[in-house]
């Protein structure tokens, strides 16, 4: 009986050690799974950012019209994005475009390539799905196209003199002297959400999620 007990204990210990050995580590994380996790997290965070920014923008328009919304975007958009809770400490959330309004949002080389890809797909009527790609060894960039699908957007991004009033355009030029973000039409590619993940932190979040499911 004693030998049987010892054998069972050794077997349980061996199984426990094997289970621990099978848990993924940073060195063994499957990169395809990590990319898929980054895509899911990017979708979650960009949706959260879109809701926060869109809700406040609609409020600004209802309170003072399009010209008031221009000033709101200039002063408050970055602050609103800073308030969203993502669960990450090393994360950069932003927007960019091939036709920027704020020069601080000018796309990087990698972002420009993604935008060019989305523009071509938009012209070809192809699927514009979010994408994730590595930036060097330390980061992953998530990109999600922003389509102009709300007529309200044309009040600030449409044609000057028809959809954009002279008053609104004057305010735009005051805040953004080098503005390029006009002459859009419904269904156009307006820009792209960008989220840059720190690879190490993203891996830690992925491992924590994986471990919680064991």
């Amino acid at each position: 009986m004693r030998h049987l007990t010892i054998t069972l204990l050794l077997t349980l210990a061996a199984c426990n050690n094997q289970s621990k050995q099978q848990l993924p580590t940073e060195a063994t994380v499957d990169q395809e799974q990590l990319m898929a996790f980054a895509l899911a997290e990017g979708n979650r965070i960009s949706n959260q950012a879109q809701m926060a920014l869109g809700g406040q923008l609609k409020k600004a328009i209802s309170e003072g019209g399009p010209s008031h919304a221009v000033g709101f975007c200039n002063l408050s958009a970055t602050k609103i994005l800073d308030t969203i809770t993502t669960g990450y400490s090393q994360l950069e959330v932003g927007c960019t475009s091939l036709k920027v309004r704020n020069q601080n949002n000018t796309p990087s080389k990698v972002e420009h390539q993604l935008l060019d890809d989305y523009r071509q797909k938009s012209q070809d009527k192809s699927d514009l799905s979010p994408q994730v790609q590595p930036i060097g060894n330390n980061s992953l960039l998530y990109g999600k196209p922003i389509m102009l699908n709300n007529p309200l957007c044309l009040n600030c991004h449409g044609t000057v003199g028809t959809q954009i009033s002279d008053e609104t355009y004057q305010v735009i030029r005051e805040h953004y002297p080098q503005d390029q973000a006009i002459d859009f039409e419904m269904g156009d590619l307006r820009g792209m959400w960008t989220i840059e993940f720190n690879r190490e932190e993203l891996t830690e979040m992925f491992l924590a999620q994986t471990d919680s499911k064991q």
Side-chain angles (χ1 to χ4, degrees), residues 17-26 28 207 210-211 214:
N17 288 335
Q18 184 179 9
S19 176
K20 290 181 178 179
Q21 291 170 0
Q22 289 175 348
L23 291 177
T25 65
E26 289 191 27
T28 62
L207 291 173
T210 302
D211 187 44
Q214 298 298 320

Side-chain angles (χ1 to χ4, degrees), residues 20-210:
K20 290 181 178 179
Q21 291 170 0
Q22 289 175 348
L23 291 177
T25 65
E26 289 191 27
T28 62
V29 167
D30 183 283
Q31 292 306 299
E32 288 189 7
Q33 291 183 340
L34 184 64
M35 296 284 275
F37 180 68
L39 186 64
E41 287 291 87
N43 288 337
R44 176 181 68 83
I45 294 168
S46 62
N47 287 340
Q48 188 178 350
Q50 180 68 49
M51 289 181 64
L53 195 58
Q56 291 299 316
L57 186 58
K58 287 180 181 179
K59 181 180 179 182
I61 292 174
S62 67
E63 290 176 347
S67 58
H68 175 65
V70 172
F72 163 82
C73 284
N74 184 56
L75 296 173
S76 305
T78 301
K79 293 180 181 179
I80 291 173
L81 293 180
D82 287 342
T83 64
I84 64 175
T85 303
T86 65
Y88 293 83
S89 61
Q90 302 181 61
L91 190 77
E92 295 183 18
V93 181
C95 297
T96 187
S97 175
L98 293 172
K99 295 169 62 177
V100 296
R101 173 149 288 170
N102 187 336
Q103 295 302 306
N104 292 331
N105 296 332
T106 300
S108 66
K109 183 178 179 179
V110 176
E111 290 169 347
H112 203 292
Q113 291 172 345
L114 275 176
L115 284 165
D116 277 337
D117 180 56
Y118 282 134
R119 177 173 59 181
Q120 186 60 53
K121 287 180 177 178
S122 178
Q123 292 173 351
D124 296 340
K125 308 299 181 183
S126 300
D127 181 42
L128 277 69
S129 300
Q131 300 181 45
V132 176
Q133 66 180 66
I135 305 179
N137 296 321
N138 301 320
S139 303
L140 290 175
L141 177 67
Y142 166 93
K144 178 181 179 180
I146 300 172
M147 308 304 295
L148 199 154
N149 53 20
N150 188 329
L152 281 176
C153 299
L154 296 175
N155 291 319
C156 293
H157 296 289
T159 303
V160 178
T162 54
Q163 293 146 325
I164 305 176
S165 70
D166 292 338
E167 176 191 359
T168 298
Y169 191 58
Q170 182 178 350
V171 176
I172 290 173
R173 297 294 292 178
E174 288 174 359
H175 288 294
Y176 309 103
Q178 301 180 60
D179 174 56
Q180 304 167 19
I182 59 172
D183 296 326
F184 284 94
E185 298 178 0
M186 288 291 292
D188 282 352
L189 174 69
R190 168 66 189 92
M192 179 176 71
W193 281 104
T194 63
I195 301 175
E196 186 171 335
F197 292 96
N198 175 275
R199 183 185 287 271
E200 182 177 349
E201 184 178 28
L202 183 72
T203 301
E204 290 175 357
M205 296 287 282
F206 172 72
L207 291 173
Q209 185 187 82
T210 302

